[in-house]
Amino acid sequence: MQDLSLELNERQREAVLNTEGPCLVVAGAGSGKTRVLTYRIAHLLQKGVEPYKILSLTFTNKAAREMKNRIEELVGPVAKNLWMGTFHSIFARILRIESALIGYDTNFTIYDTDDSKSLLKSVIKDFNLDDKKYNPNSCLARISNCKNNLVTATAYSQNAAHLDEDRSAQRPEFARVYAEYVRRCKSANAMDFDDLLLQTNVLLKNHPDITEKYQQKFQYLLVDEFQDTNLSQYLILRRLANKHRNICVVGDDAQSIYAFRGADIRNILNFERDYKNLRTIKLEQNYRSTQSIIEAANEVIGRNKDQIKKNVWTENPQGELIDLIRATSDAEEGRLVASAIFETKVNKSLDNSDFAVLYRTNAQSRSIEEALRNIGIKYRIFGGLSFYQRKEIKDLAAYWRFSTNPQDVEAFKRIINLPKRGIGQSSIDKLLQAALAANLSLWEVINNVDKVLKLPPAGSKAIKEFGLLMSSFREQIAQKDAYKAAVFIAKNSGLLKELHEDQTVEGRARYDNVQELLNAVKEFCDNPDNQDDSLPAFLQQIALVTTGDDAEEGEDTVTLMTIHSAKGLEFNYVFLVGLEESLFPSSRMVGSRADLEEERRLFYVAITRAKRKLSISYALQRYYFGSLKPCEPSRFISEIDRDLFSTPKMRQNSASTQMTRFAREREQGKVLTAQTTYNVETVEKRENYNSGGRLLKVEEIKPALEVVHLKFGKGRVIEVDESVSGKRAIIDFESVGQKTVMLNFAKLKSVPE
């Protein structure tokens, strides 16, 4: 028989061999948590414990499959009979066996999120409620939260605090919606995902004999990622383990980052309250990262008050110091990160797959994606779609496309009833067929709907209103720059309002993505190198960026993902971007110590994904809601000892004094790379600029005035006008011809006398 303990360190061995009684394994990042779990189960099987007496719970099917395969390699096919899987899959299995006791048939349906939303929409419609106040996404999120905290529809309707909260939120009928949703699920012999946990609790609470049955059956319980459990899951575990008390939970409180999904860090922090004779084993040796990375991670997480104290350490080399990349804008941040990836890859003969870029929100991927594309580095978005492929982005872009080109049938089909305006699929089909039959453009049919088609009055009216709306959009595009037109369309189409009213986590993310798209338009308009700042020109640019550039499956690619998606993964080189106040930590997560500590744990998770090198970046300016706003470096950066940074002096200056040569020159009209060199002509222009003349005020700059620019040299002002971000001037320079410059940044001088 293989001696499994020979492959383990002392603490891991202790966690594997001590199988009797309650055990908490606090597994620091990269400490071999999965190995401990698999070896512990394998050890139980080697001792002669029957596999069906072992219950092992994970959070993903992938983790369960990998663990079971590894155990089978260690002890043979006996592992196939383990009760191993996700919480939901295991409890669904139990509920099918015992379904009659809770009033369900054994063949009950499990509703996914789309099914649940569809049912809620029907309930809201049937109750004649405003679907803006009773947004299906928000209602479903609230119902999910209730179920995970074991608040049934009946209990909810009897709770005065909940009802008062609903009245204040202008949704006084929510309790009735919740109750009807539950009633219709039951009548359809269906459970949603949260019911699988709630109904298991109901089963165990109301049927002591069933509880006894499964307590006797599962003599050993093992739980992975215990810090991510919610109240409902914890109560099931406590009931099942109450007889034999052989429960082993493995997790890391420092990696508890899913409170928004209902995870309760108190489950791991207070575990010993329910198990007084608890054995706590700390896995503190990290096998993944260099000493520099581990030291930084320890310094950060050490500031949290709510934690199980541990000291993660490693025998790995000290490794490279952390790079701190300071950019002047989010666009420059993308370019600098892409450039650093390219240089490191070439200099060290690495693959794209050695690199990962992690960010706090999906919306941040845009500038990174565009920078990587521009220098030809393949990437893949994990845990989400590429920025321009996300539904909300394609929806708004479709409005812009159809407003620009009313012959765009695919754009028309996407937006005609989005948001809903009472135009049914039958009417849409008739419009398209009429255009084909009469050899008319789609736009002509829309504008002459009564002459071309016979539709019900309501349908005809809705199409006419749609036509008028599109006409107003077309006027904006003809008269305004891309940003003004884009914002007008986003607001008046109703898309922005609909997204803003969805206050679920997913809804806020979609709203942020649309705002980031508008930021991209604003950046496009503010770029003086773009001679055409119209919306059609912007659409052409993103079409060229998004067509045919995606990586093929299996290609060597850089990984782009949110930090939440990166949990459990590791990469040789990690770039952590957007380390600015209000972005990371998020402005939504600084209202309480508990929220801020969760953000700090998220930062800890990001740091500990890196094996060989960590780079952190932030921008001094970032586009927010179409305006370039100053940013302050994240407080989390200052929580790392400056000696761990390769450029610690960069952090000693305030944001207001951190304007680099790159920043000044970019604002004056040309995007330069970090490695820009200057020829003799450029040096002469600088000397001319510095040789005399006085700095001109913005209001002094008029047409026909001769001026001197730091980089472009001498020129004559052709035109001065107002833009969204301030005054700009078209100047005819002797060396480079006409350029548009933003006067707030150009620092033009008078010609020396």
Side-chain angles (χ1 to χ4, degrees):
M1 183 179 293
Q2 181 182 356
D3 187 352
L4 301 176
S5 65
L6 295 177
E7 300 180 34
L8 306 171
N9 66 35
E10 184 180 349
R11 293 279 78 79
Q12 291 174 334
R13 192 176 303 115
E14 182 184 358
V16 166
L17 299 180
N18 289 279
T19 58
E20 306 306 303
C23 180
L24 168 61
V25 180
V26 182
S31 62
K33 166 181 71 70
T34 303
R35 169 173 285 201
V36 165
L37 269 173
T38 54
Y39 276 50
R40 185 180 174 99
I41 295 171
H43 176 65
L44 285 169
L45 294 171
Q46 282 188 341
K47 282 174 57 178
V49 176
E50 297 291 348
Y52 55 81
K53 292 184 178 180
I54 300 172
L55 173 61
S56 178
L57 296 166
T58 65
F59 272 84
T60 67
N61 289 310
K62 180 184 177 185
R65 283 194 303 271
E66 290 176 352
M67 284 178 61
K68 185 173 280 190
N69 290 338
R70 180 66 179 127
I71 295 167
E72 193 171 346
E73 290 175 7
L74 294 171
V75 298
V78 66
K80 292 184 184 294
N81 297 319
L82 289 165
W83 276 64
M84 177 179 282
T86 65
F87 282 86
H88 292 90
S89 66
I90 293 294
F91 298 149
R93 185 175 171 184
I94 291 174
L95 288 172
R96 290 203 186 279
I97 297 171
E98 314 295 346
S99 58
L101 295 174
I102 52 173
Y104 286 83
D105 292 337
T106 188
N107 61 341
F108 62 81
T109 299
I110 299 174
Y111 278 175
D112 63 16
T113 302
D114 288 339
D115 295 325
S116 295
K117 285 181 184 176
S118 178
L119 176 55
L120 267 175
K121 288 177 183 177
S122 298
V123 171
I124 291 164
K125 181 180 180 181
D126 292 346
F127 283 180
N128 292 316
L129 298 173
D130 184 347
D131 61 4
K132 300 296 186 290
K133 294 179 180 177
Y134 293 87
N135 179 283
N137 291 331
S138 299
C139 286
L140 184 59
R142 189 164 178 81
I143 289 172
S144 176
N145 184 60
C146 288
K147 289 183 177 182
N148 285 328
N149 286 284
L150 306 183
V151 179
T152 63
T154 301
Y156 190 97
S157 66
Q158 296 171 353
N159 187 303
H162 290 327
L163 300 180
D164 286 343
E165 184 181 347
D166 287 339
R167 280 190 287 270
S168 299
Q170 296 185 316
R171 53 167 187 259
E173 297 293 315
F174 177 78
R176 193 159 70 101
V177 170
Y178 183 10
E180 181 64 11
Y181 170 78
V182 169
R183 189 193 70 77
R184 293 192 189 185
C185 281
K186 187 70 178 292
S187 67
N189 192 36
M191 295 188 199
D192 62 22
F193 269 37
D194 299 310
D195 282 326
L196 297 175
L197 303 179
L198 176 62
Q199 294 299 334
T200 302
N201 269 291
V202 170
L203 175 69
L204 298 178
K205 180 182 178 182
N206 295 345
H207 300 277
D209 55 326
I210 298 299
T211 302
E212 169 72 20
K213 170 184 173 181
Y214 287 100
Q215 285 176 344
Q216 187 62 38
K217 178 178 181 61
F218 300 129
Q219 295 183 12
Y220 294 89
L221 273 71
L222 298 95
V223 185
D224 190 14
E225 303 287 6
F226 184 64
Q227 76 279 351
D228 294 334
T229 54
N230 59 35
L231 174 64
S232 185
Q233 290 163 327
Y234 182 63
L235 291 179
I236 295 170
L237 292 171
R238 192 171 70 178
R239 284 195 172 98
L240 291 177
N242 202 37
K243 183 177 181 65
H244 297 286
R245 299 177 72 79
N246 294 327
I247 179 170
C248 175
V249 299
V250 181
D252 183 6
D253 58 291
Q255 298 185 66
S256 178
I257 58 173
Y258 293 119
F260 67 93
R261 294 183 188 167
D264 192 340
I265 192 175
R266 292 173 297 182
N267 290 349
I268 191 169
L269 295 178
N270 302 332
F271 191 60
E272 63 182 353
R273 292 183 184 178
D274 285 336
Y275 300 93
K276 299 302 181 184
N277 60 335
L278 178 70
R279 178 192 293 269
T280 299
I281 301 168
K282 297 179 181 179
L283 306 182
E284 297 173 303
Q285 182 176 358
N286 178 286
Y287 292 93
R288 175 189 299 156
S289 307
T290 64
Q291 289 183 29
S292 295
I293 292 167
I294 295 303
E295 288 172 27
N298 284 342
E299 286 190 353
V300 167
I301 204 62
R303 295 174 180 265
N304 271 7
K305 183 177 179 181
D306 292 336
Q307 65 169 301
I308 299 171
K309 289 292 185 181
K310 58 183 175 296
N311 180 39
V312 177
W313 58 278
T314 185
E315 292 181 345
N316 291 338
Q318 184 67 38
E320 296 184 65
L321 295 176
I322 300 167
D323 278 349
L324 186 61
I325 300 172
R326 182 189 62 224
T328 59
S329 68
D330 44 354
E332 189 197 9
E333 179 184 44
R335 287 192 296 275
L336 292 178
V337 167
S339 176
I341 290 173
F342 180 81
E343 291 174 11
T344 306
K345 177 186 171 184
V346 171
N347 292 338
K348 298 188 177 183
S349 300
L350 301 173
D351 295 324
N352 288 332
S353 58
D354 285 308
F355 299 90
V357 182
L358 307 182
Y359 32 77
R360 178 64 179 83
T361 66
N362 270 311
Q364 291 171 256
S365 76
R366 179 187 63 84
S367 60
I368 306 296
E369 287 185 67
E370 292 178 358
L372 290 172
R373 287 178 190 270
N374 286 339
I375 60 174
I377 293 180
K378 293 286 186 179
Y379 66 87
R380 185 174 292 280
I381 301 279
F382 285 81
L385 292 170
S386 179
F387 182 81
Y388 288 105
Q389 295 303 314
R390 292 166 191 159
K391 179 183 181 301
E392 59 275 14
I393 300 302
K394 296 186 82 169
D395 288 344
L396 182 52
Y399 263 101
W400 296 343
R401 283 166 48 195
F402 189 72
S403 301
T404 300
N405 172 24
Q407 316 310 323
D408 189 333
V409 175
E410 293 307 311
F412 166 79
K413 289 193 291 188
R414 192 174 189 101
I415 68 172
I416 180 62
N417 205 34
L418 182 74
K420 290 185 178 178
R421 48 175 60 91
I423 302 175
Q425 188 59 47
S426 174
S427 297
I428 297 170
D429 291 341
K430 288 178 180 177
L431 275 173
L432 296 171
Q433 290 164 7
L436 288 172
N439 197 25
L440 295 172
S441 71
L442 191 56
W443 186 239
E444 288 174 311
V445 174
I446 290 171
N447 286 317
N448 297 279
V449 64
D450 286 339
K451 297 178 182 177
V452 179
L453 284 172
K454 290 184 178 180
L455 294 175
S460 179
K461 180 183 177 186
I463 290 172
K464 288 177 186 175
E465 289 175 351
F466 175 76
L468 291 172
L469 185 66
M470 291 301 108
S471 294
S472 70
F473 292 170
R474 289 170 63 76
E475 288 177 10
Q476 291 289 316
I477 291 171
Q479 298 170 8
K480 304 289 179 63
D481 66 25
Y483 179 68
K484 290 178 181 176
V487 170
F488 182 89
I489 294 170
K491 288 180 178 178
N492 289 278
S493 67
L495 284 182
L496 207 57
K497 183 174 184 291
E498 185 174 74
L499 289 170
H500 186 264
E501 287 171 345
D502 183 355
Q503 288 301 301
T504 61
V505 173
E506 296 81 6
R508 290 198 298 266
R510 286 190 287 269
Y511 181 75
D512 288 345
N513 287 338
V514 167
Q515 289 297 340
E516 181 61 21
L517 177 61
L518 294 173
N519 289 339
V521 184
K522 186 62 166 63
E523 188 178 305
F524 171 83
C525 289
D526 287 349
N527 186 346
D529 284 347
N530 292 328
Q531 299 299 319
D532 183 352
D533 63 1
S534 68
L535 191 56
F538 175 78
L539 287 171
Q540 175 178 302
Q541 175 178 288
I542 65 171
L544 293 173
V545 166
T546 57
T547 300
D549 289 334
D550 293 331
E552 296 294 328
E553 193 71 41
E555 273 195 276
D556 177 36
T557 58
V558 174
T559 295
L560 272 61
M561 58 170 46
T562 64
I563 304 166
H564 282 101
S565 299
K567 184 169 175 288
L569 303 178
E570 58 185 42
F571 305 92
N572 285 325
Y573 293 81
V574 168
F575 288 81
L576 178 55
V577 301
L579 258 292
E580 299 137 33
E581 285 295 304
S582 296
L583 184 54
F584 196 13
S586 167
S587 58
R588 300 185 181 114
M589 297 291 286
V590 293
S592 68
R593 178 173 61 82
D595 285 344
L596 182 59
E597 290 197 353
E598 172 128 345
E599 287 290 279
R600 188 175 285 113
R601 292 193 294 271
L602 189 60
F603 186 45
Y604 174 84
V605 166
I607 292 172
T608 54
R609 298 313 93 198
K611 295 170 67 176
R612 294 175 59 184
K613 176 70 177 286
L614 173 68
S615 300
I616 296 173
S617 67
Y618 66 93
L620 299 177
Q621 300 175 100
R622 189 173 293 271
Y623 276 94
Y624 284 102
F625 300 98
S627 298
L628 200 57
K629 303 289 187 183
C631 301
E632 180 183 346
S634 169
R635 69 189 76 185
F636 293 154
I637 295 176
S638 64
E639 293 177 359
I640 300 175
D641 190 307
R642 67 179 59 190
D643 291 335
L644 293 174
F645 286 101
S646 58
T647 52
K649 291 181 181 179
M650 296 174 76
R651 291 168 49 244
Q652 298 173 0
N653 302 322
S654 68
S656 61
T657 61
Q658 290 176 331
M659 297 300 285
T660 63
R661 180 185 73 185
F662 188 109
R664 289 192 298 271
E665 291 172 349
R666 179 176 184 273
E667 287 161 349
Q668 290 158 359
K670 185 173 177 63
V671 177
L672 307 176
T673 68
Q675 305 298 323
T676 298
T677 56
Y678 297 94
N679 56 28
V680 174
E681 183 184 7
T682 303
V683 173
E684 288 175 352
K685 289 173 190 168
R686 290 185 164 206
E687 289 174 350
N688 289 337
Y689 182 88
N690 294 324
S691 65
R694 63 182 181 82
L695 197 62
L696 294 169
K697 296 178 181 179
V698 172
E699 56 269 21
E700 293 181 87
I701 299 169
K702 309 286 185 186
L705 181 68
E706 289 193 335
V707 296
V708 180
H709 188 280
L710 174 64
K711 190 163 69 67
F712 301 137
K714 252 177 105 169
R716 180 181 295 275
V717 178
I718 304 298
E719 183 183 335
V720 178
D721 67 355
E722 290 282 351
S723 73
V724 177
S725 52
K727 279 192 174 183
R728 61 186 178 186
I730 298 174
I731 302 174
D732 187 11
F733 292 102
E734 294 176 357
S735 59
V736 294
Q738 289 191 7
K739 288 281 184 182
T740 303
V741 300
M742 301 304 298
L743 296 183
N744 287 329
F745 303 113
K747 295 184 180 178
L748 297 173
K749 281 188 174 184
S750 61
V751 176
E753 296 180 1

